[in-house]
Amino acid sequence: LQELQSSGRGRFLLEHAAPFSAFLTDSFGRQHNYLRISLTEKCNLRCQYCMPEEGVQLTPKSELLTTQEIISLARLFVKEGVEKIRLTGGEPLIRPDVIDIVGQLYKLEGLKTIAITTNGINLTRLLPRLKEAGLNAINISLDTLVPAKFEFIVRRKGFHKVMEGIHKATELGYHPVKVNCVVMRGFNEDELLGFVDFTKDLPLDVRFIEYMPFDGNKWNFKKMVSYKEMLDTIKQRWPELEKLPCETSSTAKSYKVPHFQGQISFITSMSEHFCGSCNRLRITADGNLKVCLFGNSEVSLRDHLRSGASEEELVQIIGAAVGRKKKQHAGMFNISQMKNRPMILIAFQLVSCVLMLLLFFLPPEPALMSYPQYQDALQNPPNSKQWGHTFSHWLTLKASCCVFQKDPSSTFDTKCLEASPVGQVSVDCQSKEASSGSEFCTKNSRSCTAVPRSSDNLTHADEEGRATMVDVGGKPDTRRSATAGAVVRLGKKAFGMVRQNQVKKGDVLAVAQIAGIQGAKLTSQLIPLCHNIPLNHVEVSLSLDEARYAVVICSSCQTWGKTGVEMEALTAASLAALTVYDMCKAVTHDIVIEEVKLLSKTGGQRGDFSRV
């Protein structure tokens, strides 16, 4: 706005701004004043997240928009209220008449910003003429600062050309120069700090983009690094990182390291969508109007244009398409459910969920089920103020009963722990005295398995069975890790829908992964006797087991501290499992969550543990 006010052209546009067109306003009141136009389907790179190595089948040239058609459509949109046009591709700078297109767009009265998104290969050569023609904003794609990795990701050479283009843009006065970086786990998430440091001496806006699914890019939710995870990594190096204000329609969450020339931003398309303020429309190279990046619905403006449709008819067609725009992610990736459901771990809502998970999914024993407290907890889940007391009772009851249940299909070798009152542990079915390295016996076979004994007492309950928190102040800091698992049996129908990503609520696996990660970070707020642990790393992976029609969940946590992260790993697996259930329950309620268990742990006074 300041730039517009400081120039004669800008002041004229602000003073003569027309009322916004109803045709570019959708049923949710979003005004679409930003148009992205693809100039070509071709590209001189083969980025792994963008297209297959062999390329894509190109549209015949006769079916692509001509220069005059591009300008005609642009003029129509600007007349209806579009203020910003971004030229994209493919790679827009390989189109021979790109400079002419920019020049003609600049002449459109009412257009305030002409931008371009490029891979930067041809930028140094063309940018001086593009600036002269009227280009006033630029985004450059760069996913790594390592030349060899660049060639691996884009399957072509050219790293030095991109770097030259970035420096040329800063020399010509573009401020900021936006650098788009798609962050992919296993590829470049280790370069986050390097990219932030890149902004120290240059007026850049490095934009970290969450990896998104597109046909041909072999998208896998395991490759996505969420905004929160990236931000945590960066804040460990620069804790003084400052959040910057942003416009309502901005897709970016912006931050700045004090005294750095540039800044960084996060494009949170997957973890925290910005559909509610979306003001973007897209025209493909072959003339199709897309109202949402995630949707398959398109309207051919080219065909109507070539059939002689009048300007008034085109406006009606565009208005109808905009009016059909869904509330978010084309109605497919309903990720906003995370904000209002247990998966975002709002503490008061999740307290009951975690407790009920323990009550329902740990093996039920008849002796325990006969207690009034247990039955009351099942029928009347405690609220946030009551649950600590109820959980303490449940721990006491649990300690005095034999836990035994064996699912023939389970890989969990369940043990029977016949216990006396709290404080005594029996090592076989004849109540032998417990000792270090004792044996726990299965009830039916009378066979015993040697396992390290942790403690003769429940450390989180006092002699009267009341909940108490362990004092870990005297313990040394050590490296701790834990891995937990869970299995969600969905049935054939729901499993097929998850595999094909056809569940109405959205991408089940991606949302469950994020819920699990968030759950691990908030464990101490959900389990009252857990310490608040600074986690160094959290990873949640979900895989599909077709033989069992099941989602198999594995979570791992790491820290350097005084106490372990078993509960964080178990909470992550549990919340991921609950999220899968929540998103699939509309398809079927015949869903079973099972095998919620600790798989391994390392560190601590009691040694390592690994479940065979």
Side-chain angles (χ1 to χ4, degrees):
L1 182 61
Q2 291 176 346
E3 291 178 3
L4 285 171
Q5 291 172 339
S6 64
S7 67
R9 172 184 168 89
R11 287 195 297 272
F12 175 83
L13 294 176
L14 290 173
E15 292 170 2
H16 295 81
F20 199 83
S21 168
F23 294 100
L24 297 186
T25 303
D26 66 16
S27 58
F28 301 97
R30 294 172 294 197
Q31 297 181 339
H32 297 78
N33 61 354
Y34 180 6
L35 178 65
R36 301 171 67 98
I37 302 176
S38 173
L39 298 185
T40 178
E41 297 174 339
K42 295 179 180 179
C43 187
N44 46 2
L45 298 180
R46 292 291 182 271
C47 298
Q48 296 198 35
Y49 56 82
C50 186
M51 69 165 71
E53 185 173 6
E54 64 275 11
V56 295
Q57 185 175 353
L58 297 174
T59 303
K61 186 177 180 179
S62 61
E63 297 180 17
L64 299 177
L65 290 177
T66 66
T67 302
Q68 192 52 49
E69 287 171 336
I70 291 173
I71 301 303
S72 296
L73 289 174
R75 182 181 294 109
L76 179 61
F77 276 90
V78 171
K79 185 177 179 181
E80 293 299 318
V82 164
E83 298 175 330
K84 178 178 180 179
I85 290 180
R86 178 175 296 279
L87 303 178
T88 67
E91 169 50 42
L93 295 189
I94 66 174
R95 179 155 174 152
D97 58 351
V98 61
I99 295 173
D100 180 47
I101 291 175
V102 171
Q104 293 194 53
L105 290 176
Y106 186 75
K107 297 176 183 177
L108 298 180
E109 186 176 311
L111 185 60
K112 299 176 182 178
T113 302
I114 305 171
I116 201 164
T117 297
T118 172
N119 60 32
I121 297 294
N122 296 334
L123 189 59
T124 301
R125 176 172 56 88
L126 296 176
L127 190 54
R129 285 184 288 166
L130 286 168
K131 181 177 176 62
E132 185 179 347
L135 185 71
N136 48 23
I138 188 166
N139 289 46
I140 303 170
S141 299
L142 179 65
D143 301 316
T144 178
L145 298 174
V146 180
K149 192 184 290 187
F150 176 90
E151 292 185 23
F152 175 74
I153 293 177
V154 308
R155 304 186 181 110
R156 298 290 188 273
K157 295 182 182 296
F159 175 79
H160 68 283
K161 292 183 178 180
V162 180
M163 295 300 289
E164 288 174 4
I166 291 173
H167 286 281
K168 174 61 72 174
T170 61
E171 290 171 11
L172 292 177
Y174 287 94
H175 183 85
V177 175
K178 295 182 178 180
V179 177
N180 293 344
C181 175
V182 178
V183 181
M184 296 163 282
R185 194 179 306 281
F187 285 89
N188 61 351
E189 85 278 16
D190 59 333
E191 294 190 61
L192 289 170
L193 302 185
F195 271 104
V196 177
D197 198 54
F198 195 26
T199 70
K200 184 176 183 179
D201 300 316
L202 291 172
L204 307 178
D205 180 3
V206 174
R207 295 148 62 87
F208 297 115
I209 303 172
E210 290 179 340
Y211 184 55
M212 293 184 294
F214 289 97
D215 289 342
N217 73 352
K218 300 180 180 178
W219 187 82
N220 187 315
F221 70 90
K222 294 180 182 178
K223 293 181 181 179
M224 191 194 83
V225 183
S226 73
Y227 147 62
K228 293 292 188 183
E229 184 178 345
M230 290 188 272
L231 186 61
D232 287 346
T233 299
I234 295 169
K235 280 190 172 181
Q236 289 181 23
R237 172 63 178 82
W238 288 283
E240 70 274 23
L241 192 70
E242 299 175 349
K243 194 174 191 313
L244 301 177
C246 61
E247 298 178 4
T248 305
S249 60
S250 175
T251 62
K253 296 175 174 63
S254 299
Y255 294 80
K256 182 181 178 67
V257 178
H259 310 302
F260 278 25
Q261 282 196 43
Q263 64 184 55
I264 62 171
S265 302
F266 300 91
I267 311 298
T268 60
S269 308
M270 299 303 295
S271 64
E272 296 183 18
H273 71 77
F274 31 79
C275 301
S277 60
C278 181
N279 65 339
R280 293 154 178 77
L281 298 172
R282 291 169 172 81
I283 297 178
T284 62
D286 57 352
N288 285 349
L289 175 65
K290 290 176 69 72
V291 297
C292 179
L293 178 63
F294 286 85
N296 293 322
S297 178
E298 299 179 357
V299 176
S300 178
L301 301 181
R302 177 204 63 202
D303 290 350
H304 289 289
L305 200 61
R306 293 182 182 180
S307 65
S310 67
E311 184 175 299
E312 203 172 293
E313 290 171 330
L314 285 171
V315 169
Q316 293 289 341
I317 292 166
I318 293 167
V322 172
R324 292 192 296 270
K325 185 171 181 175
K326 303 294 185 181
K327 185 176 181 180
Q328 56 208 26
H329 283 163
M332 296 188 301
F333 295 172
N334 206 2
I335 295 178
S336 70
Q337 294 292 339
M338 294 170 55
K339 295 184 177 180
N340 296 312
R341 308 188 66 93
M343 62 191 74
I344 72 157
L345 310 182
I346 300 175
F348 283 3
Q349 293 177 340
L350 283 184
V351 159
S352 295
C353 291
V354 175
L355 178 58
M356 297 310 288
L357 179 72
L358 293 170
L359 292 175
F360 278 116
F361 301 131
L362 289 179
E365 49 272 16
L368 177 59
M369 294 180 68
S370 65
Y371 280 85
Q373 293 98 325
Y374 187 99
Q375 292 294 331
D376 183 62
L378 292 177
Q379 296 173 16
N380 303 293
N383 61 34
S384 57
K385 295 181 179 179
Q386 300 169 334
W387 89 290
H389 179 72
T390 304
F391 186 62
S392 174
H393 272 289
W394 181 79
L395 282 175
T396 306
L397 297 175
K398 185 82 173 171
S400 63
C401 299
C402 175
V403 180
F404 182 81
Q405 181 182 19
K406 179 67 176 177
D407 184 343
S409 64
S410 171
T411 57
F412 187 177
D413 189 13
T414 310
K415 303 294 187 297
C416 171
L417 310 182
E418 254 196 32
S420 303
V422 177
Q424 300 178 8
V425 177
S426 201
V427 298
D428 63 15
C429 297
Q430 297 173 341
S431 300
K432 295 179 182 178
E433 184 179 350
S435 61
S436 177
S438 60
E439 296 178 52
F440 290 159
C441 303
T442 56
K443 192 168 186 176
N444 290 346
S445 65
R446 316 289 289 187
S447 63
C448 296
T449 303
V451 295
R453 181 174 55 82
S454 296
S455 173
D456 290 344
N457 300 295
L458 292 174
T459 58
H460 288 75
D462 62 17
E463 293 180 354
E464 297 180 5
R466 293 174 301 191
T468 183
M469 195 168 187
V470 176
D471 183 0
V472 298
K475 291 185 177 182
D477 287 338
T478 59
R479 186 175 299 280
R480 315 284 190 121
S481 67
T483 302
V487 175
V488 186
R489 292 180 179 262
L490 297 173
K492 186 175 182 179
K493 180 180 179 181
F495 179 85
M497 294 179 70
V498 170
R499 182 172 58 184
Q500 298 297 324
N501 196 16
Q502 295 178 341
V503 177
K504 289 184 178 180
K505 285 189 175 182
D507 189 330
V508 174
L509 302 183
V511 176
Q513 181 195 31
I514 296 169
I517 292 172
Q518 292 178 323
K521 295 178 180 180
L522 294 177
T523 297
S524 64
Q525 298 180 33
L526 303 174
I527 312 296
L529 304 184
C530 283
H531 295 82
N532 186 12
I533 300 174
L535 296 174
N536 297 336
H537 180 70
V538 179
E539 183 172 346
V540 178
S541 63
L542 295 89
S543 58
L544 299 177
D545 183 347
E546 189 167 8
R548 294 188 287 177
Y549 299 124
V551 176
V552 180
I553 301 166
C554 182
S555 62
S556 62
C557 298
Q558 297 177 12
T559 190
W560 180 273
K562 301 178 185 299
T563 187
V565 288
E566 297 97 312
M567 290 306 300
E568 282 71 17
L570 284 164
T571 301
S574 301
L575 267 296
L578 286 170
T579 301
V580 173
Y581 183 99
D582 175 64
M583 297 188 73
C584 296
K585 69 180 186 292
V587 180
T588 176
H589 282 91
D590 189 16
I591 301 173
V592 178
I593 299 178
E594 61 187 12
E595 299 193 54
V596 179
K597 58 190 178 185
L598 181 70
L599 300 176
S600 65
K601 68 163 287 266
T602 63
Q605 295 178 351
R606 297 189 179 94
D608 298 349
F609 166 82
S610 180
R611 190 180 301 278
V612 180

